[in-house]
Amino acid sequence: MSDVSTTKSMDDIMSLCKRRGFIYQASEIYGGVNGFWDYGPLGAQLKKNLRDAWWQDIVMNPCQGKPGPKGDPVSIVPVDTCIIQNPKVWEASGHVGGFNDPMVDCRETKSRYRADHLFCMGEKGDKSGQIYAFVENNDASFDAALKKLGKYKKKELTKDDIDICPLTDLSVDELAITVGPDAKEVGTLTEPRAFNLMFKTYLGATATEDDIAYLRPETAQGIFINFKNVVDTTRVSVPFGIAQTGKAFRNEVTPRNFTFRSREFEQMEIEFFCHAEEANDWYAFWRDWRMQWWQEIGLAGENLILREHDKDELAHYAKEGAGTSDIEYRFPFTAPGYGELEGIAHRSNYDLNAHQNHPDSNTKLEYLDTTRGELAKNGQPKGERYLPDVIEPSAGLDRGVLAILCEAYTPDPERPSKVFMKFHPRVAPIKAAVFPLVNKDGMPEKAAELHQLLVKKFGHLGKIETDPKQSIGKRYARMDEAGCPFCFTIDGDTLTDGTVTVRDRDTAEQKRIPFDDVVQFVATGLGLT
Ligand code: GAP
């Protein structure tokens, strides 16, 4: 277990991500584009492995066989819906009218802030002096504001000398005497304004107001609008879930913290439909199982927490009195605080109701549950029609990858690479590497044979690396930075006694095992046996 807050620097992690081809700035050769990131060869495979693990444990083998609250198997089916839908979908869901963040601009520095991320300080009891704004959760911003206030007051101030309040609590007059987090002048912050996060585009060539469409801000609505299709065309019955992964787009006011808050990102969402009477049990089930899943994929330790929402945090769709929780990770840039990886929300029947009642949808979305209702004369239930409640475990794939990168990053001054990536073998982008010690004397041929064997067996799970060049130390160092769990080296002895050297990434220990045991060794290491 590692405490990312004390031992790891985000700059170091980002630099390794660039150097080793995990993540690049999008459009880098043109100076980049704020809030967009591309994944390189290792990052693309890492991301695919995390998505595949989710798909396997949600769609193919729901909850790894763990039964639901009543002891029945959990039932989930997948869909893959469009990024662009009829714009009325987003009217009904509330996104066109209400998906807003409050935004504040600084006229001096041209910086833009989320108003709800800004806090202010002034000297205790002093109503007349300047007020200094700082970015919450950013120690440097707080310290700078405290220093500026001290300079203005001509005395050294500590935390005990100041009052703090959210910027959104300030009056217009108070805003006029506020100094922005990065500003020198007073009164350069604008009043908070609502900013809609939906990305607009136009359908067809004419590009008039009538042709406006939106890139989806969440994959969830594609599921809700297909609820009836899935019920009518498959043999699912409530309780069941519909799952999907895919891109979502939000025109974030302040994209920041590497991929954490991006404008284009990928989600992994489940909408789990159940009767309202069973919703609380399903909520607790999903909350606990999703936490366990993130732990099993490599985020076990104090950096991962499950946090129930306070009442005033509940989203507009959350049911009164029902639970909503976040699974949060302590990233180096949030430490000592945490950032959200996945939300588990009790959405009631808010969305199905909204789509059913939109004047243009014209579709009843009620479900006929033949297991419920009064008993008929024949002793069978008459059936009950209802809009199911929904429990929604909604995870961010890019945030998951980022948490896994931060957790895996392990400084080790003893190694030539000075760092290794301790990925859980299930998500490691390179599963194994095969190296001939030298590029001659029959070793490359033997290495090629083992490489082919491993590609055939495990190539569908990730890359099997082989590389005949450079010193063996350099090749191990590269694999340490890539997080490859096992390196196999073919040397002179392999040709005489049929053994190979295997090097363990986490301990850097080496031992010899028979060539013929390598496949079984990797299978065990990857948890496949
Ligand atoms: N359907 C519910 C929904 O979309 P959300 O909390 O807004 O809920 C779910 O998003 C997850 O998507 C978050 O927990 C986070 O992991 C991810 N996410 C949201 N906004 C993001 C952004 N701007 N960049 C990267 N990931 C984001």
Side-chain angles (χ1 to χ4, degrees):
M1 176 177 44
S2 59
D3 175 357
V4 291
S5 63
T6 53
T7 55
K8 304 183 190 182
S9 126
M10 202 58 218
D11 285 347
D12 291 346
I13 294 171
M14 287 172 71
S15 139
L16 179 131
C17 282
K18 170 79 200 294
R19 192 169 73 245
R20 291 312 321 270
F22 282 99
I23 299 176
Y24 310 125
Q25 191 182 18
S27 308
E28 191 180 315
I29 61 169
Y30 289 98
V33 48
N34 198 8
F36 295 86
W37 298 92
D38 291 334
Y39 287 80
L42 287 182
Q45 187 66 50
L46 173 64
K47 189 170 172 183
K48 179 180 184 302
N49 290 352
L50 184 59
R51 189 194 299 111
D52 285 355
W54 184 92
W55 189 272
Q56 171 66 29
D57 297 342
I58 296 295
V59 177
M60 312 295 284
N61 179 21
C63 306
Q64 297 162 317
K66 182 181 158 138
K70 282 190 164 168
D72 298 325
V74 178
S75 158
I76 311 259
V77 291
V79 292
D80 184 352
T81 70
C82 283
I83 286 171
I84 293 180
Q85 301 281 355
N86 189 315
K88 288 173 182 147
V89 170
W90 310 112
E91 283 174 19
S93 67
H95 285 92
V96 171
F99 195 44
N100 300 316
D101 275 344
M103 177 182 85
V104 167
D105 285 312
C106 177
R107 285 182 283 260
E108 180 191 319
T109 63
K110 309 291 173 232
S111 302
R112 174 162 285 177
Y113 308 97
R114 281 261 302 262
D116 51 336
H117 289 175
L118 288 187
F119 276 67
C120 296
M121 65 170 75
E123 194 177 8
K124 266 189 180 142
D126 175 16
K127 297 262 179 233
S128 57
Q130 285 177 12
I131 298 171
Y132 289 82
F134 62 95
V135 183
E136 186 203 17
N137 242 335
N138 177 337
D139 288 346
S141 178
F142 177 88
D143 292 345
L146 193 63
K147 210 164 152 195
K148 281 196 263 181
L149 178 59
K151 223 166 160 187
Y152 175 71
K153 291 283 175 188
K154 296 196 175 53
K155 58 181 165 187
E156 204 160 301
L157 296 171
T158 69
K159 270 186 180 174
D160 296 334
D161 305 319
I162 55 171
D163 275 333
I164 292 178
C165 77
L167 178 116
T168 43
D169 284 1
L170 295 190
S171 65
V172 177
D173 289 346
E174 286 169 324
L175 204 57
I177 53 166
T178 301
V179 182
D182 309 300
K184 292 195 179 82
E185 302 290 320
V186 183
T188 60
L189 293 179
T190 62
E191 275 183 61
R193 288 178 285 150
F195 176 76
N196 190 275
L197 302 186
M198 298 287 280
F199 268 107
K200 267 187 202 163
T201 185
Y202 295 92
L203 303 184
T206 48
T208 68
E209 283 290 298
D210 293 340
D211 305 315
I212 287 179
Y214 301 95
L215 307 190
R216 67 180 175 200
E218 60 174 13
T219 61
Q221 296 304 324
I223 296 179
F224 293 123
I225 58 175
N226 279 290
F227 170 72
K228 188 169 157 47
N229 277 339
V230 172
V231 168
D232 290 349
T233 58
T234 64
R235 289 173 55 76
V236 290
S237 50
V238 170
F240 76 97
I242 305 181
Q244 111 158 299
T245 68
K247 292 267 186 173
F249 301 82
R250 296 184 189 175
N251 201 0
E252 296 283 356
V253 177
T254 48
R256 64 178 58 195
N257 291 333
F258 204 18
T259 57
F260 182 82
R261 191 174 305 287
S262 310
R263 288 179 165 143
E264 174 176 342
F265 56 96
E266 200 164 332
Q267 292 185 313
M268 309 187 288
E269 297 203 292
I270 307 161
E271 306 304 327
F272 195 83
F273 301 91
C274 57
H275 192 278
E277 283 170 7
E278 296 177 1
N280 284 342
D281 291 344
W282 278 108
Y283 164 73
F285 171 86
W286 280 109
R287 179 197 59 198
D288 296 346
W289 188 72
R290 291 303 301 149
M291 179 71 180
Q292 185 188 326
W293 188 84
W294 283 110
Q295 288 168 330
E296 283 174 10
I297 212 84
L299 301 182
E302 286 167 8
N303 294 326
L304 193 73
I305 58 161
L306 181 69
R307 189 178 67 80
E308 288 280 349
H309 277 207
D310 296 333
K311 224 174 164 194
D312 58 355
E313 281 181 275
L314 295 185
H316 60 285
Y317 48 72
K319 193 167 178 165
E320 184 68 23
T324 294
S325 46
D326 285 343
I327 296 172
E328 299 185 337
Y329 183 76
R330 183 164 51 186
F331 294 92
F333 50 80
T334 57
Y338 295 79
E340 176 185 333
L341 269 191
E342 170 160 353
I344 297 100
H346 184 165
R347 289 181 83 118
S348 66
N349 60 15
Y350 179 89
D351 303 86
L352 290 180
N353 198 33
H355 290 301
Q356 172 171 277
N357 290 335
H358 190 283
D360 295 317
S361 89
N362 237 338
T363 311
K364 279 248 165 287
L365 297 179
E366 278 175 351
Y367 173 78
L368 174 61
D369 190 335
T370 52
T371 66
R372 289 176 176 268
E374 286 171 30
L375 295 186
K377 279 192 187 130
N378 64 4
Q380 295 300 313
K382 282 183 180 166
E384 180 186 333
R385 278 186 194 280
Y386 58 88
L387 282 179
D389 268 17
V390 170
I391 306 302
E392 177 194 64
S394 170
L397 176 56
D398 303 82
R399 283 196 192 168
V401 169
L402 186 58
I404 283 173
L405 283 164
C406 293
E407 186 72 15
Y409 187 91
T410 312
D412 181 355
E414 303 300 315
R415 299 188 186 213
S417 57
K418 309 288 180 225
V419 63
F420 66 104
M421 296 300 279
K422 203 172 176 177
F423 293 126
H424 188 288
R426 195 169 178 202
V427 291
I430 302 178
K431 300 297 181 199
V434 181
F435 300 135
L437 183 63
V438 288
N439 202 12
K440 56 183 182 182
D441 300 335
M443 291 179 221
E445 291 76 11
K446 201 70 187 155
E449 183 189 332
L450 183 58
H451 179 247
Q452 263 316 300
L453 209 61
L454 294 179
V455 168
K456 263 195 202 145
K457 280 278 177 197
F458 307 109
H460 60 293
L461 300 174
K463 194 167 167 53
I464 308 296
E465 179 83 9
T466 185
D467 183 357
K469 301 212 182 89
Q470 293 189 313
S471 74
I472 194 70
K474 279 199 176 137
R475 283 180 278 173
Y476 285 156
R478 277 201 320 111
M479 287 302 98
D480 275 350
E481 283 193 321
C484 169
F486 317 106
C487 294
F488 299 97
T489 303
I490 307 291
D491 56 19
D493 290 346
T494 311
L495 306 173
T496 53
D497 70 5
T499 62
V500 301
T501 301
V502 53
R503 176 181 179 273
D504 182 277
R505 174 198 65 198
D506 298 346
T507 60
E509 274 168 15
Q510 300 185 22
K511 64 178 180 185
R512 294 199 78 86
I513 63 167
F515 184 99
D516 293 341
D517 289 356
V518 170
V519 167
Q520 185 57 40
F521 184 93
V522 175
T524 307
L526 296 181
L528 301 174
T529 52

